[in-house]
Short mmCIF file of all heavy atoms in Angstrom, two decimals:
data_model
loop_
_atom_site.label_atom_id
_atom_site.label_comp_id
_atom_site.label_asym_id
_atom_site.label_seq_id
_atom_site.Cartn_x
_atom_site.Cartn_y
_atom_site.Cartn_z
N LEU A 222 8.27 12.05 -6.15
CA LEU A 222 9.27 12.41 -5.16
C LEU A 222 9.19 11.45 -3.98
O LEU A 222 8.13 11.27 -3.40
CB LEU A 222 9.04 13.84 -4.65
CG LEU A 222 9.01 14.94 -5.71
CD1 LEU A 222 8.60 16.26 -5.07
CD2 LEU A 222 10.33 15.06 -6.41
N ARG A 223 10.32 10.84 -3.66
CA ARG A 223 10.42 9.96 -2.49
C ARG A 223 11.37 10.66 -1.53
O ARG A 223 12.51 10.95 -1.89
CB ARG A 223 10.96 8.59 -2.90
CG ARG A 223 11.16 7.64 -1.74
CD ARG A 223 11.79 6.34 -2.19
NE ARG A 223 13.09 6.63 -2.79
CZ ARG A 223 13.67 5.88 -3.73
NH1 ARG A 223 13.09 4.80 -4.19
NH2 ARG A 223 14.85 6.23 -4.22
N ASN A 224 10.90 10.95 -0.33
CA ASN A 224 11.71 11.69 0.65
C ASN A 224 12.22 13.01 0.06
O ASN A 224 13.35 13.42 0.30
CB ASN A 224 12.87 10.84 1.15
CG ASN A 224 12.41 9.60 1.85
OD1 ASN A 224 11.41 9.60 2.57
ND2 ASN A 224 13.11 8.50 1.64
N GLY A 225 11.40 13.64 -0.77
CA GLY A 225 11.73 14.93 -1.33
C GLY A 225 12.64 14.90 -2.54
O GLY A 225 12.97 15.93 -3.10
N GLN A 226 13.05 13.71 -2.97
CA GLN A 226 13.96 13.57 -4.10
C GLN A 226 13.26 12.85 -5.26
O GLN A 226 12.55 11.86 -5.04
CB GLN A 226 15.20 12.75 -3.70
CG GLN A 226 16.01 13.37 -2.59
CD GLN A 226 16.63 14.69 -3.03
OE1 GLN A 226 17.15 14.82 -4.12
NE2 GLN A 226 16.55 15.69 -2.15
N PRO A 227 13.46 13.32 -6.50
CA PRO A 227 12.84 12.65 -7.64
C PRO A 227 13.40 11.24 -7.83
O PRO A 227 14.57 10.99 -7.57
CB PRO A 227 13.19 13.54 -8.83
CG PRO A 227 14.23 14.47 -8.38
CD PRO A 227 14.25 14.47 -6.88
N VAL A 228 12.53 10.34 -8.28
CA VAL A 228 12.94 8.97 -8.55
C VAL A 228 12.65 8.65 -10.02
O VAL A 228 11.69 9.16 -10.59
CB VAL A 228 12.24 7.94 -7.63
CG1 VAL A 228 12.68 8.11 -6.20
CG2 VAL A 228 10.74 8.04 -7.72
N PRO A 229 13.46 7.80 -10.65
CA PRO A 229 13.23 7.43 -12.04
C PRO A 229 11.91 6.66 -12.20
O PRO A 229 11.54 5.86 -11.33
CB PRO A 229 14.41 6.52 -12.38
CG PRO A 229 15.43 6.77 -11.33
CD PRO A 229 14.68 7.20 -10.11
N ALA A 230 11.23 6.90 -13.30
CA ALA A 230 9.95 6.24 -13.54
C ALA A 230 10.10 4.73 -13.67
O ALA A 230 9.15 3.99 -13.40
CB ALA A 230 9.30 6.81 -14.80
N ASP A 231 11.29 4.26 -14.06
CA ASP A 231 11.48 2.82 -14.24
C ASP A 231 12.00 2.10 -12.99
O ASP A 231 12.26 0.91 -13.01
CB ASP A 231 12.39 2.54 -15.43
CG ASP A 231 13.80 3.11 -15.26
OD1 ASP A 231 14.04 3.87 -14.30
OD2 ASP A 231 14.65 2.80 -16.11
N GLU A 232 12.10 2.83 -11.87
CA GLU A 232 12.55 2.23 -10.62
C GLU A 232 11.37 1.55 -9.91
O GLU A 232 10.26 2.06 -9.92
CB GLU A 232 13.15 3.30 -9.71
CG GLU A 232 13.77 2.74 -8.44
CD GLU A 232 14.49 3.81 -7.65
OE1 GLU A 232 15.25 4.59 -8.24
OE2 GLU A 232 14.27 3.86 -6.42
N ALA A 233 11.63 0.42 -9.29
CA ALA A 233 10.59 -0.32 -8.57
C ALA A 233 10.11 0.48 -7.35
O ALA A 233 10.91 1.10 -6.65
CB ALA A 233 11.11 -1.68 -8.12
N VAL A 234 8.81 0.45 -7.12
CA VAL A 234 8.22 1.15 -5.98
C VAL A 234 8.70 0.47 -4.70
O VAL A 234 8.54 -0.73 -4.51
CB VAL A 234 6.67 1.14 -6.04
CG1 VAL A 234 6.08 1.75 -4.79
CG2 VAL A 234 6.18 1.87 -7.28
N ASP A 235 9.30 1.28 -3.81
CA ASP A 235 9.80 0.74 -2.54
C ASP A 235 9.55 1.69 -1.38
O ASP A 235 10.28 1.71 -0.41
CB ASP A 235 11.29 0.42 -2.65
CG ASP A 235 12.14 1.67 -2.90
OD1 ASP A 235 11.58 2.76 -3.13
OD2 ASP A 235 13.37 1.56 -2.83
N ALA A 236 8.50 2.50 -1.50
CA ALA A 236 8.18 3.48 -0.46
C ALA A 236 6.75 3.30 0.00
O ALA A 236 5.90 2.80 -0.73
CB ALA A 236 8.39 4.90 -0.98
#
Side-chain angles (χ1 to χ4, degrees):
L222 304 173
R223 177 184 60 207
N224 298 323
Q226 299 295 317
V228 293
D231 62 351
E232 186 174 313
V234 175
D235 64 352

